[in-house]
Amino acid sequence: GAVVSQHPSWVICKSGTSVKIECRSLDFQATTMFWYRQFPKQSLMLMATSNEGSKATYEQGVEKDKFLINHASLTLSTLTVTSAHPEDSSFYICSARGHPGTGELFFGEGSRLTVL
Amino acid sequence: QKEVEQNSGPLSVPEGAIASLNCTYSDRGSQSFFWYRQYSGKSPELIMFIYSNGDKEDGRFTAQLNKASQYVSLLIRDSQPSDSATYLCASSMHGYALNFGKGTSLLVTP
């Protein structure tokens, strides 16, 4: 299957700082990537759809000024959590669609953010 | 509201038995359905997808889809302890992001 790489895997930061998470498609071009967030024992919740060369589309309730998404190339999307607070601590996972016809998503390894 | 519902479990089956995981969805416009496996602390990994009514088999896994009943299931034959994980069901309309259920925890006991 398609390979999606995410970095960093773990990050611990102080409250008020910003954290950037990178998501790369390694063996294919992804015009669209999706960012999910998962709290413990909960399902994956879609945060936003990242579109190469245009603005991201955010889901209802997700603050676009807090969660900055940039999709500057066909292989890279970044999520920046600005002014992070403890309630932002979560597992953030990016994904990309490997085959447009079938629609399955391939996930990055995920980034566990802990805000102290 | 597009919802995918799963029993949270845990579902416990003995090694070698068939594990049956079920999922219902509310959006009749959903076209594709996916089963992912997620180990604790790890990212989901795709097991299989299905978009036509009926059964689809891949090794020990069989996905079943009944669009009239808005029901999707996953059967795991010859269950192994390594199959112990949370299984996520997801639905999608073509071109859109996946909508996930909360997952069913499966425990395969030796």
Side-chain angles (χ1 to χ4, degrees), chain A residues 48-111:
Chain A
T49 301
S50 172
N51 303 299
E52 187 269 335
S54 65
K55 292 182 179 180
T57 303
Y58 290 82
E59 294 299 300
Q60 189 174 9
V62 178
E63 300 174 59
K64 62 180 181 181
D65 294 331
K66 181 170 186 61
F67 299 100
L68 301 179
I69 291 174
N70 183 279
H71 196 150
S73 76
L74 287 171
T75 59
L76 174 64
S77 176
T78 61
L79 168 68
T80 301
V81 183
T82 63
S83 186
H85 291 282
E87 58 265 30
D88 298 323
S89 298
S90 186
F91 192 43
Y92 292 87
I93 316 173
C94 73
S95 63
R97 184 163 283 121
H99 301 284
T102 52
E104 72 267 35
L105 291 182
F106 294 94
F107 286 90
E109 301 93 334
S111 300

Side-chain angles (χ1 to χ4, degrees), chain A residues 4-54:
Chain A
V4 177
S5 178
Q6 194 171 338
H7 176 82
S9 300
W10 294 84
V11 58
I12 300 173
C13 69
K14 292 181 179 180
S15 184
T17 60
S18 295
V19 174
K20 179 185 284 188
I21 301 170
E22 294 187 347
C23 179
R24 295 181 184 273
S25 57
L26 297 185
D27 55 357
F28 65 102
Q29 294 182 330
T31 55
T32 302
M33 291 184 177
F34 304 95
W35 286 94
Y36 287 85
R37 178 170 55 183
Q38 186 177 35
F39 292 106
K41 299 190 182 301
Q42 298 294 315
S43 187
L44 282 75
M45 298 300 298
L46 180 65
M47 298 176 66
T49 301
S50 172
N51 303 299
E52 187 269 335
S54 65

Side-chain angles (χ1 to χ4, degrees), chain A residues 34 36 38 42-44 46 91 93 97 100-110 112, chain B residues 32 34 36 38 41-44 46 49 51 88 92 94-102:
Chain A
F34 304 95
Y36 287 85
Q38 186 177 35
Q42 298 294 315
S43 187
L44 282 75
L46 180 65
F91 192 43
I93 316 173
R97 184 163 283 121
T102 52
E104 72 267 35
L105 291 182
F106 294 94
F107 286 90
E109 301 93 334
R112 187 164 299 283
Chain B
S32 302
F34 306 83
Y36 285 83
Q38 186 176 27
K42 301 294 185 182
S43 194
L46 179 68
F49 62 88
Y51 47 82
L88 301 171
S92 173
H94 181 70
Y96 289 86
L98 270 58
N99 187 35
F100 285 87
K102 291 186 176 181

Side-chain angles (χ1 to χ4, degrees), chain B residues 9-24:
Chain B
L11 172 67
S12 182
V13 300
E15 184 175 359
I18 296 176
S20 178
L21 303 163
N22 305 313
C23 168
T24 59

